[in-house]
Amino acid sequence: MAINGSFYGKTSNAAIKPKITWSAAENMEGNYSDVTATLSYSRTDSYKTYGHWAGTLTINGDKKSVSSKYIEISKNSNTVAITHTVRVPHNEDGTKSITVSATGSISGTTLTTTTISANLTLTSIPRAATIAATDGVIGSVSMVTIGKKSDAYTY
């Protein structure tokens, strides 16, 4: 099941609000999630900020950078600056937490810094146990070992 959300940060200009919108779609067989994040900006007042944006969007340590993209930020514009998708492997037990963050600025404007970051917990992917057995003889004791991928599961 895919999950999604969003969170806000701050910039050097109190009227310019950065927002990261994200989604994660897990793959049970591969034990990973494809995570997509988009950084956008809006103003809370009637002014406009425009110019060539430069910045970086990081998902679980994987960075995507843009050196120059023309954008215009106005009231409630939700202007997209950058989008990034990363395949994130989960832990052996199917759990995974990641950090999504971004930086950015427009040279020659009051948007000189962007600070936005959040720790996200992805949906846990159920993992199958491994089963190993010794060669047995009918009527005698044999050893069967179940290797649990998570202590949360019972067998």
Side-chain angles (χ1 to χ4, degrees):
M1 170 177 28
I3 59 171
N4 59 67
S6 62
F7 57 93
Y8 293 87
K10 60 183 179 177
T11 68
S12 51
N13 181 328
I16 300 174
K17 302 295 182 192
K19 175 183 178 182
I20 290 180
T21 305
W22 63 275
S23 64
E26 68 271 4
N27 180 293
M28 185 178 287
E29 289 179 7
N31 195 33
Y32 65 80
S33 290
D34 288 325
V35 180
T36 299
T38 299
L39 172 66
S40 60
Y41 293 91
S42 291
R43 288 191 68 106
T44 58
D45 58 20
S46 59
Y47 293 100
K48 183 188 275 189
T49 299
Y50 57 90
H52 288 88
W53 181 87
T56 301
L57 178 56
T58 305
I59 301 172
N60 196 43
D62 189 298
K63 296 180 180 186
K64 180 179 180 181
S65 297
V66 170
S67 60
S68 182
K69 177 184 178 181
Y70 182 81
I71 64 173
E72 295 181 358
I73 305 167
S74 56
K75 186 170 186 176
N76 300 324
S77 64
N78 205 32
T79 303
V80 172
I82 188 171
T83 298
H84 187 27
T85 300
V86 175
R87 181 157 287 173
V88 177
H90 285 230
N91 300 321
E92 186 177 291
D93 66 358
T95 63
K96 187 63 179 179
S97 294
I98 62 171
T99 300
V100 177
S101 63
T103 61
S105 63
I106 299 177
S107 180
T109 70
T110 57
L111 178 55
T112 58
T113 61
T114 300
T115 305
I116 184 168
S117 180
N119 295 318
L120 308 174
T121 300
L122 303 180
T123 300
S124 289
I125 298 173
R127 306 309 300 150
T130 57
I131 298 177
T134 59
D135 290 334
V137 177
I138 294 177
S140 60
V141 176
S142 291
M143 176 70 79
V144 176
T145 304
I146 300 175
K148 298 193 304 182
K149 299 290 184 181
S150 170
D151 289 334
Y153 306 135
T154 56
Y155 301 94

